[in-house]
Amino acid sequence: MDKDKAAKRLDELREKINEHNYYYHVLDAPRISDTEFDQLMKELMELEERYPELITSDSPSVRIGSKPLTAFAEVEHTVPMLSLDNAFSEEDIAAFYRRLQKSLGIEQFEMVGELKIDGLAVSLYYEEGKFVRGATRGDGQRGEDITANLRTVWSLPLSLREKITAEVRGEVFMPRDGFVRLNKARQQEGLTFFANPRNAAAGSLRQLDPAVAAQRPLDFFAYTMINLSGDGSKSQWKILTNLKALGFKVNEHATLLNSLSDVLEYHQHISELRPQLSYDIDGVVFKVNELVCQEKAGYTSRAPRWAIAYKFMAEEGITRIRDIKVNVGRTGAITPLAELEPLLLSGSIIKRASLHNEDIIRGKDVMIGDTVVIHKAGEVIPEIIRVLPDKRSGREQLFIMPDQCPSCHKEVKRIPGEAALRCLNPACPAQAVERIIHFASRRGMDISGLGEALAAQLYHSGLVEDVGDLYALTLDKLAGLERMGEKSANNLLAALEQSKTNPLRRLLYALGIRFVGERTARLLAANFGSMSRLAAATYEEVIAIKDMGPQIAFSQQDFFQREETQIIIKKLKIAGVNFQEKREDVKESNLKGNRFVLTGTLQRYSREQAKEAIEQRGGQVLSSVSKNVDYLIAGEKAGSKLIKAKELGITVLKEEDLEKLLNG
Ligand code: IVH
């Protein structure tokens, strides 16, 4: 194709792709299949590769990420990005409403109720309909230029349906499911967690490499616009309608309200809706509808007087720390735990919160007896946010980490480079009980009925010193335990018997070797095939496996050299616990060292099954496409991952090809 023809075709492709992108990401109603979409993208990218001079700034290919930056440039906002005043109660809202009635000199006026999306405010500058620059809020006057990252947000239009020049503002956020998936993938890779979707969105936008941002599930809602090229809209409601018409995603829950009772009702309605939303909100926002009324109400130096955020507060609560105890974990890590005056918070009673380590206690200046603010991190884990120093009586006590293990009274040490204090005594009773609990856990040997209480009982009665003794339990021995009926005893023995057939990878994970999580256990099992071969493996042999670092190799050496390990393994062997990774599980480890990414819908496997099958053969499944990936397995409706893989020249396989690979 000659250059003129290519230019024409590229125009067509860009228009078509942008149109279908809009149906898919903004309206959530695709009109063509992902495969068809990918075909268009592929053709576009191939043409752009041949004629790079024809690439435009609004080409959909920029969604995949452009060149990494070294720093973000500073952008001065043409109109400052203001903040919002907060209201926390109906009284606050009523007072806000009365103030407006007074300043506007009217009893009744319209307001727009919107969701307060918990993300990051951004400003987008469009010149004659083209997205040219985007910035963070920064200090309100100046923000950072994050244009390249914003271009990767699929629901953010790169060109508008009218060639206007305008500044559009809204919120970039990460949907909850995307956040959970991202954190899971990060856990697999041993990376740190994002505390909440907002932090994840912020971290993603702050990436210097747009290709990384492109891998993050970001989304965008527009909520205001300053039209620089025309008359502009006369009301907030009209602005929202116009934003929709220009191709933006506008939140569907925005509503026109006519009175104070409408306003309060809206807040109530949204707080009930909140758990069902697919993204986080931290309140609702009320805005005077008519722009002339907004101007009349005016501004303070930091916020408009015509708008207010009514925040949801339910997730935070205040309570007192009764005491701080320490807990000894399976690996000897000593964790301080705050015992709280019980507090009902978002549907459950909270009695304890981890304080993690001494640095955190000092950093937050937590003392025994302090009044503290609590919330549930990620809506589940109780966490102490801060101390209320004004509530101190003077009788609070400093908490000092023990210099002895609370369980075995041996000396504890802080290993350089680690945040935790550790009990280094392998014979420590608290650690022994924790090891039994871990061994029996669902992801370990899955011995149902063997929980915390029973593990402690078995250990303290002398029946079980280490996990090897579990398999020597009998009805007679169990009969002597408190609260152990015949039926429970029989069930436990049956669960133990059943667990003997678990594959080696489960046993390795259950043994709690340091740094050996489920994925590493699977790799070790697949590579060595049996316990005896793994036990005999040298440091060099372990480290030679792809993805095995010195930490794991060292830990494996240390574990198998220990006398206690040898005793446990002997007991497990005598009991007939399976020490092999079955032949069909290993399949010669024929995928050893290969990295895969799965995308689209597979017909014969679930994602989990495909992943398991690949990992059993020594392969590794990653969540995102990068140049380190060897194969992309593309099922039906594969999307952006397929495009990226093709761009990077990664081998793309269909489900049938995967099957052939799996079967050697
Ligand atoms: S209007 C001058 N509308 O809340 C008006 N803000 O606390 C400024 N936010 O920085 C903002 N959803 O990040 C507005 N529907 C919404 C919003 C919203 C979320 C955020 C935005 C802003 C912060 C102010």
Side-chain angles (χ1 to χ4, degrees), residues 63-212:
R63 304 278 193 198
I64 283 143
S66 41
K67 277 202 310 281
L69 311 169
T70 47
F72 296 118
E74 207 181 72
V75 180
E76 176 137 10
H77 300 303
T78 41
V79 179
M81 286 183 83
L82 296 179
S83 179
L84 287 173
D85 280 336
N86 291 323
F88 298 102
S89 65
E90 296 203 345
E91 290 75 60
D92 290 351
I93 292 293
F96 165 71
Y97 204 81
R98 278 196 301 274
R99 279 199 303 276
L100 283 171
Q101 283 174 323
K102 214 166 145 195
S103 64
L104 300 178
I106 41 175
E107 276 297 301
Q108 251 208 334
F109 50 89
E110 281 180 330
M111 300 215 79
V112 178
E114 294 174 19
L115 304 194
K116 188 166 188 305
I117 311 294
D118 201 6
L120 276 102
V122 295
S123 151
L124 314 172
Y125 189 67
Y126 286 85
E127 224 163 53
E128 292 181 13
K130 298 256 180 283
F131 174 53
V132 291
R133 195 172 54 250
T136 59
R137 175 168 181 273
D139 62 5
Q141 304 293 330
R142 272 182 206 89
E144 284 177 322
D145 184 335
I146 51 163
T147 313
N149 288 343
L150 287 169
R151 286 199 164 115
T152 71
V153 180
W154 286 87
S155 58
L156 188 153
L158 298 173
S159 51
L160 303 179
R161 305 186 150 209
E162 261 179 76
K163 292 202 160 75
I164 59 163
T165 295
E167 196 177 325
V168 171
R169 289 174 181 181
E171 203 84 354
V172 171
F173 64 98
M174 188 177 286
R176 286 178 183 153
D177 62 348
F179 164 73
V180 171
R181 247 182 293 123
L182 176 65
N183 257 353
K184 263 195 199 144
R186 288 177 72 84
Q187 184 186 26
Q188 291 268 323
E189 315 269 312
L191 299 170
T192 53
F193 267 60
F194 287 115
N196 52 49
R198 195 196 124 80
N199 285 1
S204 306
L205 285 183
R206 235 178 273 123
Q207 286 294 331
L208 286 167
D209 184 355
V212 176

Side-chain angles (χ1 to χ4, degrees), residues 205-226:
L205 285 183
R206 235 178 273 123
Q207 286 294 331
L208 286 167
D209 184 355
V212 176
Q215 296 295 313
R216 303 283 173 81
L218 297 173
D219 208 337
F220 176 73
F221 280 129
Y223 53 62
T224 197
M225 167 167 65
I226 305 154

Side-chain angles (χ1 to χ4, degrees), residues 171 188 214 343 356 444 465 486 585:
E171 203 84 354
Q188 291 268 323
L343 167 78
H356 307 290
E465 235 173 85
E486 199 177 311
D585 288 347

Side-chain angles (χ1 to χ4, degrees), residues 463-534:
L463 284 177
V464 175
E465 235 173 85
D466 60 48
V467 297
D469 298 330
L470 286 170
Y471 294 97
L473 288 172
T474 59
L475 262 186
D476 273 358
K477 286 185 188 171
L478 289 169
L481 294 177
E482 257 176 69
R483 289 190 305 273
M484 174 64 76
E486 199 177 311
K487 191 157 172 231
S488 326
N490 271 320
N491 286 345
L492 177 65
L493 292 177
L496 278 163
E497 198 53 37
Q498 174 66 39
S499 76
K500 289 182 186 173
T501 60
N502 282 336
L504 177 63
R505 59 178 184 276
R506 294 282 288 269
L507 177 60
L508 290 179
Y509 172 74
L511 284 170
I513 306 166
R514 271 200 90 188
F515 307 118
V516 178
E518 282 176 289
R519 196 176 71 82
T520 307
R522 209 174 273 153
L523 281 177
L524 288 173
N527 278 281
F528 293 101
S530 75
M531 182 75 93
S532 55
R533 262 183 275 154
L534 174 62

Side-chain angles (χ1 to χ4, degrees), residues 145-395:
D145 184 335
I146 51 163
T147 313
N149 288 343
L150 287 169
R151 286 199 164 115
T152 71
V153 180
W154 286 87
S155 58
L156 188 153
L158 298 173
S159 51
L160 303 179
R161 305 186 150 209
E162 261 179 76
K163 292 202 160 75
I164 59 163
T165 295
E167 196 177 325
V168 171
R169 289 174 181 181
E171 203 84 354
V172 171
F173 64 98
M174 188 177 286
R176 286 178 183 153
D177 62 348
F179 164 73
V180 171
R181 247 182 293 123
L182 176 65
N183 257 353
K184 263 195 199 144
R186 288 177 72 84
Q187 184 186 26
Q188 291 268 323
E189 315 269 312
L191 299 170
T192 53
F193 267 60
F194 287 115
N196 52 49
R198 195 196 124 80
N199 285 1
S204 306
L205 285 183
R206 235 178 273 123
Q207 286 294 331
L208 286 167
D209 184 355
V212 176
Q215 296 295 313
R216 303 283 173 81
L218 297 173
D219 208 337
F220 176 73
F221 280 129
Y223 53 62
T224 197
M225 167 167 65
I226 305 154
N227 192 337
L228 303 165
S229 60
D231 275 352
S233 315
K234 301 261 184 293
S235 70
Q236 171 63 10
W237 189 253
K238 193 80 210 323
I239 291 176
L240 294 180
T241 319
N242 284 346
L243 283 168
K244 245 181 272 180
L246 286 169
F248 287 96
K249 198 163 159 172
V250 172
N251 190 276
E252 59 179 327
H253 299 291
T255 309
L256 262 180
L257 307 162
N258 284 301
S259 63
L260 177 60
S261 65
D262 272 9
V263 163
L264 297 175
E265 217 168 274
Y266 180 77
H267 177 260
Q268 179 60 29
H269 166 65
I270 300 297
S271 66
E272 282 161 21
L273 187 73
R274 186 184 186 194
Q276 294 155 41
L277 295 171
S278 58
Y279 43 84
D280 279 3
I281 58 173
D282 56 345
V284 288
V285 183
F286 297 116
K287 302 173 182 174
V288 168
N289 188 32
E290 300 293 337
L291 300 201
V292 280
C293 292
Q294 290 186 0
E295 288 315 308
K296 210 163 167 189
Y299 299 82
T300 67
S301 61
R302 58 175 289 276
R305 287 199 168 96
W306 46 264
I308 200 155
Y310 191 174
K311 298 267 238 173
F312 296 130
M313 287 290 289
E315 264 86 6
E316 268 184 23
I318 292 174
T319 189
R320 209 179 64 92
I321 300 181
R322 282 182 176 162
D323 201 358
I324 298 177
K325 295 261 168 70
V326 290
N327 182 56
V328 187
R330 167 170 65 84
T331 60
I334 308 227
T335 322
L337 206 63
E339 301 207 330
L340 308 167
E341 263 160 27
L343 167 78
L344 181 68
L345 196 63
S346 343
S348 69
I349 293 173
I350 294 172
K351 294 183 187 150
R352 272 177 285 272
S354 175
L355 283 162
H356 307 290
N357 59 55
E358 191 160 18
D359 294 349
I360 295 207
I361 296 184
R362 296 289 162 257
K364 290 187 177 169
D365 185 26
V366 172
M367 290 172 82
I368 299 169
D370 263 337
T371 303
V372 290
V373 180
I374 306 267
H375 83 148
K376 284 192 188 169
E379 313 258 309
V380 266
I381 302 155
E383 191 185 350
I384 294 175
I385 312 177
R386 64 180 178 278
V387 168
L388 298 174
D390 293 350
K391 303 264 175 182
R392 281 190 175 155
S393 65
R395 288 193 300 274

